[in-house]
Amino acid sequence: MTSLQFFGGVGEIGGNKVLLEDGDVRLWLDFGQSFNMGCDYFTGWLQPRSQNGLGDYFEFDLLPRLRGLYAEHLLANTGLGYEPPRFDAVLLSHAHFDHVGHIGFLDPAIPVWCGSGTKLFLEAAEETSGFTDYGAHEYRTFRTGDRIRIGHVEVKPIHVDHSIPGAYGFIVHTSAGAVVYTGDIRAHGPKHEMTEEFLEAARAAEPVALVSEGTRMVTRERRRNLSEAQVLAGVKRVIEEADGEGKAVFYTHNGRDTDRFRTFYTAAVACGRRIVVTPRTAYLLWKLVEDEHLDLPDPMRDGNIAVYYRRKRSGEYREGDYYRWERPFLDRMVTAEDLRRRPTEFIMDLDFNRFTELIDIRPEPGSHFIYSMSEPFTEDDIEDRVMHNWLDHFRLRYHQLHASGHMSRRELTEAIESINPRRVFPVHTENPQLFSKLFDHAVLPERGKRFTL
Ligand SMILES: [Zn+2]
């Protein structure tokens, strides 16, 4: 018997946990955390206690109570007895939190498969954050074109373009036929040919089931979406304008979107400015240089990259004040004073949580701020209001330039039509019912329900 069960990503964007069983082989496609996990019970500092293992999660049904899945030490207060693994593998599509966030709970004896790029992202997150722990797994890495054997099941990972490098879709050959899992995909990105390759292979596999993301499956897009090339053109325009006025340029984007980093880097270099990043971004880049396929600049060697260090005590910068992982880039340091005195030499990555640096930098009124993420979902977003208060206070000019990590509704509809699966299961979407309107063969997942193929 071959079946699919969905324990996350059902009617929500993110939190994918898809269980695929084929006879005695049981494997997971992603094991992520929902963006709004437990938000009915937990908020701010009220959070599940780590010392209670999975107890606080099970209390509110935030994770499935399955035997033979979790690490023994996390089950102590849960009433769910420990059993050796009943699952053969976890396959990760990419390193975004909503696809990998819960792997730390898994029994370390269950092998975790992921792309080599994803492995580097997971390591960088653990090394630069005091509270990230993905657990001690046996990791097995793959590249596109590999064939992975899990029992009698063969899995083909194929690279796709998404807003993080090292992203994959999967074609799983089961005894009932091929099951295709998209992970997260986009068609308009700088590496769109990778997505096309995946879609082509998916079509050729004549799948009995397609588990498809549907982030942008909406009746009306609320956000402006550009292509990455349009973002680059827009950033250059802003820098050129700032050059003419002798003004500074700040920007913010998702730090792990290295395509967006490259966009800002390219624009900065083209306009004769250096790009100023955080120590965390420098560290990530430095790790990713290991993967020559990603072809990213090395912050240790590339003179176009500078690193902004926050002051740890008044008026002084001392090596010992910084974490070990922050120190390798100290000779690339620029300070608030450098930015204030020579505004047209740099463009600076300024994350919302680091806005206090503006108090030290004191940019001239009329300096520019590029917001390169999706706009907030709601009008009453508190962070959004606070951000605009800061921009107004320092009289920074706001620009929004963003390209989504996901296929548009039209692109996705065409892709699904051309793959022509026997059944399509929408996940990672707030609007699964839209799939039913578009496709006769759509099956809407219900949490924990088993669908036999
Ligand atoms: Zn993603």
Side-chain angles (χ1 to χ4, degrees):
M1 193 179 81
T2 312
S3 68
L4 282 168
Q5 266 178 289
F6 302 85
F7 292 97
V10 178
E12 60 179 340
I13 292 174
N16 287 20
K17 288 190 183 82
V18 181
L19 176 60
L20 172 58
E21 296 187 63
D22 187 32
D24 59 352
V25 173
R26 307 172 90 199
L27 54 92
W28 290 92
L29 301 167
D30 286 333
F31 207 76
Q33 175 173 334
S34 300
F35 289 118
N36 53 4
M37 186 197 69
C39 64
D40 292 336
Y41 302 98
F42 297 109
T43 181
W45 292 101
L46 176 63
Q47 290 300 327
R49 297 162 297 174
S50 59
Q51 69 272 26
N52 199 34
L54 287 161
D56 295 1
Y57 295 87
F58 286 168
E59 177 70 27
F60 301 106
D61 221 5
L62 303 178
L63 281 158
R65 287 178 76 97
L66 296 175
R67 293 185 178 280
L69 181 61
Y70 300 110
E72 185 168 10
H73 70 279
L74 297 174
L75 293 173
N77 304 317
T78 64
L80 184 70
Y82 175 77
E83 282 181 32
R86 289 189 181 187
F87 299 86
D88 301 283
V90 178
L91 296 152
L92 303 179
S93 62
H94 61 285
H96 277 153
F97 186 68
D98 55 324
H99 294 255
V100 307
H102 280 165
I103 62 170
F105 297 134
L106 296 171
D107 190 323
I110 303 172
V112 173
W113 293 82
C114 62
S116 5
T118 295
K119 180 77 186 347
L120 296 175
F121 271 96
L122 298 180
E123 285 170 12
E126 285 184 324
E127 287 156 9
T128 62
S129 144
F131 53 88
T132 304
D133 180 6
Y134 289 119
H137 303 283
E138 182 198 325
Y139 283 101
R140 301 180 186 172
T141 57
F142 53 70
R143 286 209 167 276
T144 197
D146 286 354
R147 285 156 192 271
I148 301 165
R149 281 227 151 258
I150 299 164
H152 63 276
V153 172
E154 188 187 76
V155 183
K156 279 171 77 176
I158 302 177
H159 53 202
V160 294
D161 195 25
H162 181 42
S163 48
I164 188 166
Y168 290 82
F170 298 115
I171 298 177
V172 187
H173 293 283
T174 71
S175 41
V179 175
V180 173
Y181 176 61
T182 61
D184 286 350
I185 49 175
R186 65 179 174 192
H188 54 269
K191 304 227 167 80
H192 56 88
E193 67 282 352
M194 300 201 304
T195 298
E196 283 152 25
E197 265 177 60
F198 167 72
L199 296 176
E200 186 55 49
R203 198 176 302 137
E206 299 183 0
V208 290
L210 170 66
V211 179
S212 173
E213 74 125 314
T215 315
R216 290 172 70 192
M217 202 50 109
V218 290
T219 36
R220 196 171 62 84
E221 294 249 24
R222 313 165 61 144
R223 280 161 262 173
R224 217 153 50 94
N225 270 303
L226 308 172
S227 70
E228 200 64 40
Q230 288 169 316
V231 175
L232 174 60
V235 174
K236 276 188 190 160
R237 258 196 318 273
V238 173
I239 301 176
E240 281 159 11
E241 195 182 338
D243 278 342
E245 306 157 343
K247 296 281 160 71
V249 177
F250 302 91
Y251 68 90
T252 190
H253 74 103
N254 183 324
R256 297 189 300 171
D257 183 348
T258 51
D259 289 325
R260 188 61 43 80
F261 165 79
R262 195 184 280 106
T263 293
F264 281 103
Y265 172 88
T266 307
V269 174
C271 297
R273 295 195 184 206
R274 292 168 77 201
I275 187 165
V276 182
V277 300
T278 62
R280 178 166 281 118
T281 299
Y283 186 86
L284 178 66
L285 287 170
W286 179 60
K287 278 215 73 117
L288 294 177
V289 166
E290 254 181 64
D291 190 334
E292 74 277 11
H293 294 262
L294 301 179
D295 192 29
L296 287 161
D298 182 347
M300 297 284 217
R301 293 157 192 259
D302 189 324
N304 296 309
I305 300 176
V307 182
Y308 183 88
Y309 284 86
R310 307 174 86 166
R311 199 157 38 84
K312 297 269 166 138
R313 54 183 92 197
S314 64
E316 279 181 86
Y317 293 86
R318 286 194 209 159
E319 180 166 352
D321 288 347
Y322 297 96
Y323 293 113
R324 246 166 236 295
W325 61 265
E326 293 179 294
R327 295 180 201 165
F329 319 102
L330 277 165
D331 59 347
R332 303 262 157 186
M333 180 193 285
V334 296
T335 62
E337 199 177 331
D338 298 323
L339 286 151
R340 185 173 59 250
R341 290 198 174 159
R342 311 195 302 273
T344 57
E345 257 179 52
F346 309 101
I347 71 168
M348 179 186 175
D349 178 354
L350 186 66
D351 179 61
F352 174 74
N353 295 324
R354 300 163 67 94
F355 265 22
T356 41
E357 299 309 305
L358 287 169
I359 296 168
D360 292 0
I361 298 168
R362 290 221 162 270
E364 271 192 53
S367 294
H368 297 260
F369 179 77
I370 303 171
Y371 187 75
S372 193
M373 302 197 278
S374 24
E375 288 166 285
F377 285 91
T378 57
E379 301 276 300
D380 55 329
D381 188 298
I382 293 171
E383 277 196 9
D384 187 60
R385 190 163 53 77
V386 171
M387 179 180 80
H388 281 283
N389 288 343
W390 277 80
L391 299 181
D392 290 349
H393 180 84
F394 285 100
R395 291 160 68 192
L396 299 186
R397 288 160 66 189
Y398 174 83
H399 310 267
Q400 210 257 351
L401 295 164
H402 181 60
S404 166
H406 304 273
M407 279 186 159
S408 69
R409 173 176 168 165
R410 185 182 51 77
E411 290 162 340
L412 190 58
T413 307
E414 285 172 12
I416 295 171
E417 277 168 358
S418 87
I419 294 171
N420 192 26
R422 199 177 300 160
R423 289 196 269 177
V424 56
F425 295 87
V427 293
H428 205 282
T429 176
E430 287 175 342
N431 300 302
Q433 74 290 349
L434 270 182
F435 281 73
S436 302
K437 284 193 188 154
L438 294 165
F439 310 106
D440 302 333
H441 50 294
V443 183
L444 303 196
E446 289 167 48
R447 188 176 288 264
K449 183 176 165 184
R450 187 188 300 266
F451 295 89
T452 307
L453 301 179

Short mmCIF file of all heavy atoms in Angstrom, two decimals, residues 3 80 218 260 297 326 357 407 425:
data_model
loop_
_atom_site.label_atom_id
_atom_site.label_comp_id
_atom_site.label_asym_id
_atom_site.label_seq_id
_atom_site.Cartn_x
_atom_site.Cartn_y
_atom_site.Cartn_z
N SER A 3 0.72 5.48 0.51
CA SER A 3 -0.17 6.52 1.02
C SER A 3 0.58 7.80 1.36
O SER A 3 1.80 7.81 1.55
CB SER A 3 -0.91 6.03 2.26
OG SER A 3 0.00 5.86 3.32
N LEU A 80 4.13 9.43 25.94
CA LEU A 80 4.36 8.67 24.71
C LEU A 80 5.68 7.93 24.91
O LEU A 80 6.72 8.56 25.07
CB LEU A 80 4.45 9.63 23.52
CG LEU A 80 4.60 8.98 22.12
CD1 LEU A 80 3.30 8.29 21.70
CD2 LEU A 80 4.95 10.04 21.07
N VAL A 218 -3.75 32.72 -4.87
CA VAL A 218 -4.64 33.68 -4.20
C VAL A 218 -5.56 34.29 -5.25
O VAL A 218 -5.26 34.26 -6.44
CB VAL A 218 -3.83 34.82 -3.51
CG1 VAL A 218 -3.10 34.28 -2.30
CG2 VAL A 218 -2.83 35.46 -4.46
N ARG A 260 19.35 37.62 -3.54
CA ARG A 260 19.11 39.03 -3.26
C ARG A 260 20.40 39.70 -2.82
O ARG A 260 20.70 40.83 -3.20
CB ARG A 260 18.00 39.16 -2.19
CG ARG A 260 17.51 40.59 -1.94
CD ARG A 260 16.90 41.24 -3.19
NE ARG A 260 16.05 40.33 -3.92
CZ ARG A 260 14.79 40.04 -3.60
NH1 ARG A 260 14.22 40.61 -2.56
NH2 ARG A 260 14.09 39.19 -4.33
N PRO A 297 30.77 35.67 -3.63
CA PRO A 297 32.04 36.31 -3.29
C PRO A 297 32.50 35.94 -1.88
O PRO A 297 31.68 35.74 -0.99
CB PRO A 297 31.72 37.80 -3.40
CG PRO A 297 30.25 37.91 -3.26
CD PRO A 297 29.67 36.63 -3.79
N GLU A 326 32.42 35.87 14.84
CA GLU A 326 32.35 37.23 14.26
C GLU A 326 33.74 37.78 13.95
O GLU A 326 33.89 38.71 13.17
CB GLU A 326 31.68 38.20 15.26
CG GLU A 326 30.23 37.92 15.52
CD GLU A 326 29.64 38.91 16.53
OE1 GLU A 326 30.05 38.89 17.71
OE2 GLU A 326 28.79 39.72 16.13
N GLU A 357 21.28 51.39 15.31
CA GLU A 357 22.56 51.87 14.75
C GLU A 357 22.39 53.22 14.07
O GLU A 357 23.35 53.99 13.95
CB GLU A 357 23.14 50.85 13.76
CG GLU A 357 23.42 49.49 14.37
CD GLU A 357 24.26 49.57 15.64
OE1 GLU A 357 25.35 50.17 15.58
OE2 GLU A 357 23.81 49.06 16.67
N MET A 407 6.20 30.76 -7.35
CA MET A 407 5.53 30.91 -8.64
C MET A 407 4.23 31.70 -8.47
O MET A 407 3.53 31.54 -7.47
CB MET A 407 5.15 29.54 -9.19
CG MET A 407 6.29 28.83 -9.87
SD MET A 407 5.61 27.31 -10.59
CE MET A 407 6.85 27.00 -11.81
N PHE A 425 -2.23 17.40 -4.58
CA PHE A 425 -2.48 17.69 -3.17
C PHE A 425 -1.85 19.05 -2.86
O PHE A 425 -0.61 19.16 -2.82
CB PHE A 425 -1.82 16.64 -2.28
CG PHE A 425 -2.39 15.25 -2.42
CD1 PHE A 425 -1.91 14.38 -3.40
CD2 PHE A 425 -3.41 14.80 -1.58
CE1 PHE A 425 -2.42 13.10 -3.53
CE2 PHE A 425 -3.93 13.51 -1.71
CZ PHE A 425 -3.44 12.66 -2.68
#
